[in-house]
């Protein structure tokens, strides 16, 4: 099994509304994206979103489990525009210079079947707002994954946020 870095995107001064991987190589079996990010939104946290191949149909379903302020939260649903990942990346009201992280795994990304997605996340705030979480999702489309857009429900990625895309081969 091989694990090969395809691309790393680092957010520069002024931030970025999204991080996007395009023209993804089709010679692998699975994909993994590792994200380290902070958001600029005027709140404690922002929820991560994924959009595959610019698909804005109702092809996304998800179920997540997260801990927040000492309580467990769970939700499932279908989305009409993106895959919702309940990740609480630190925002402007969080402890300064703290970042959250996410590991996003796409199985069989070139297959002609629906694509499963699994995500492990954790935020950091040095306070009770820190939140670990897991998510399982599905992109119910038979096309190979050629592009992935990562964005959030509020704010933009702050400077020094990064995302790295890896290809896993058999």
């Amino acid at each position: 099994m091989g694990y090969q870095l395809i691309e790393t995107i680092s957010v520069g001064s002024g931030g970025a509304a999204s991080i996007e991987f395009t023209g993804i190589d089709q010679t692998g079996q699975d994909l993994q994206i590792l994200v380290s990010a902070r958001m600029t939104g005027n709140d404690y946290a922002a929820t991560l979103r994924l959009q595959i191949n610019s698909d804005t149909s109702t092809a996304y379903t998800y179920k997540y489990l997260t801990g927040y302020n000492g309580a467990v939260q769970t939700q499932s649903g279908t989305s009409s525009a993106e895959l919702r990942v309940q990740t609480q990346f630190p925002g402007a009201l969080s402890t300064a210079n703290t970042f959250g992280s996410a590991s996003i795994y796409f199985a069989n990304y070139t297959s002609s079947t629906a694509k499963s997605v699994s995500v492990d996340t954790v935020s950091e705030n040095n306070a009770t707002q820190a939140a670990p979480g897991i998510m399982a999702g599905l992109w119910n489309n038979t096309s190979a994954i050629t592009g992935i857009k990562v964005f959030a429900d509020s704010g933009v990625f702050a400077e020094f946020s990064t995302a790295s895309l890896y290809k896993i081969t058999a």
Side-chain angles (χ1 to χ4, degrees), residues 11-168:
V11 175
S13 176
S18 65
I19 296 173
E20 193 163 356
F21 298 101
T22 59
I24 296 173
D25 179 302
Q26 298 295 294
T27 61
Q29 181 174 333
D30 300 338
L31 293 173
Q32 184 174 26
I33 300 174
L34 301 178
V35 180
S36 174
R38 180 176 178 84
M39 306 309 290
T40 64
N42 195 22
D43 51 20
Y44 283 104
T47 301
L48 187 71
R49 309 280 197 219
L50 301 172
Q51 191 175 75
I52 302 170
N53 293 358
S54 301
D55 184 2
T56 58
S57 70
T58 57
Y60 301 98
T61 57
Y62 62 90
K63 184 167 189 88
Y64 68 79
L65 173 68
T66 188
Y68 185 70
N69 283 341
V72 174
Q73 298 175 351
T74 185
Q75 183 178 356
S76 60
T78 300
S79 174
S80 62
E82 72 271 331
L83 186 61
R84 179 183 173 146
V85 181
Q86 190 61 22
T87 302
Q88 298 296 313
F89 281 127
L93 298 179
S94 294
T95 304
N97 301 316
T98 57
F99 283 66
S101 63
S103 171
I104 306 162
Y105 196 90
F106 298 88
N108 300 312
Y109 76 100
T110 62
S111 73
S112 59
T113 61
K115 312 303 180 289
S116 64
V117 183
S118 60
V119 182
D120 295 310
T121 67
V122 67
S123 70
E124 179 55 61
N125 189 31
N126 295 333
T128 58
Q129 287 84 14
I134 56 174
M135 190 275 302
L138 183 72
W139 181 49
N140 194 16
N141 192 301
T142 59
S143 298
I145 296 175
T146 59
I148 302 168
K149 179 180 177 181
V150 182
F151 58 104
D153 64 348
S154 65
V156 300
F157 288 102
E159 184 177 15
F160 306 119
S161 295
T162 62
S164 298
L165 175 66
Y166 294 86
K167 172 178 70 172
I168 294 96

